[in-house]
Amino acid sequence: RKEVEQDPGPFNVPEGATVAFNCTYSNSASQSFFWYRQDCRKEPKLLMSVYSSGNEDGRFTAQLNRASQYISLLIRDSKLSDSATYLCVAGWTDKLIFGTGTRLQVFP
Amino acid sequence: GAVVSQHPSRVICKSGTSVKIECRSLDFQATTMFWYRQFPKQSLMLMATSNEGSKATYEQGVEKDKFLINHASLTLSTLTVTSAHPEDSSFYICSASREEGSSYNEQFFGPGTRLTVL
């Protein structure tokens, strides 16, 4: 079983749509959680940290459920520029464990 | 701020040769640097963690004699793939953190090095 599991997608959505990604992690000792964005053949870039209380950054909302070991990312009002692969990440000690990513394609 | 560079960005080499990849933190001191590998359509896999001035800590399954890591200064870490083979072809990405010891510390990623071994 992978340590961080995500639906690989792709999710094909029209501009303006709301899309949600889910992720589960297996290590209950995980301490920190993040969503990263990775464009094709580029390095990952931090999108946002994820907290138990839930947090929002503009059109992006992240939620963490420690009991279920579940993380989510909601993107509202999708833009063409949101097309990318979204990586769910769980951290413990000083390590980051990456999921394989969920591919999002936003079309006009 | 917090810029990490990698060199080279792309390398093609013959089987059996060694390849060195440099990772530099340009505007901050990186106490800890991480090396990842990403195969097509797969996740980033942590290969090793290195702290300045000490030996790298390798993840299970990563051969330390094949992937030599040196973190000689607070701004430079190098990864040498020795006797590279086609199965070593991958996207190698480094990251750097200002502090050590916690995954809460943000990691700043380099742009990656695409290695192709013929």
Side-chain angles (χ1 to χ4, degrees), chain A residues 31-32 34 36 38 41-44 46 66 87 91-101, chain B residues 10 32 34 36 38 42-44 46 49 59 91 93 101-104 106-107 109-111 114:
Chain A
Q31 304 159 316
S32 56
F34 309 91
Y36 277 74
Q38 187 174 27
R41 303 174 81 84
K42 300 284 188 180
E43 77 276 21
L46 179 64
R66 283 189 182 270
L87 307 174
W92 69 284
T93 61
D94 61 353
K95 301 178 185 180
L96 297 181
I97 308 299
F98 285 79
T100 51
Chain B
R10 182 185 298 268
T32 307
F34 304 85
Y36 295 84
Q38 186 177 31
Q42 294 189 26
S43 61
L44 275 77
L46 180 64
T49 303
E59 294 300 300
F91 190 44
I93 308 175
S102 171
S103 61
Y104 289 105
E106 186 172 359
Q107 293 184 24
F109 284 83
R114 196 160 299 279

Side-chain angles (χ1 to χ4, degrees), chain B residues 9-47:
Chain B
S9 58
R10 182 185 298 268
V11 59
I12 301 172
C13 69
K14 291 182 179 179
S15 186
T17 59
S18 294
V19 175
K20 180 186 281 190
I21 303 169
E22 291 186 350
C23 176
R24 293 181 186 273
S25 57
L26 299 184
D27 51 4
F28 68 101
Q29 293 189 323
T31 304
T32 307
M33 285 186 167
F34 304 85
W35 286 96
Y36 295 84
R37 180 169 53 182
Q38 186 177 31
F39 292 108
K41 298 190 178 181
Q42 294 189 26
S43 61
L44 275 77
M45 297 297 295
L46 180 64
M47 299 175 68

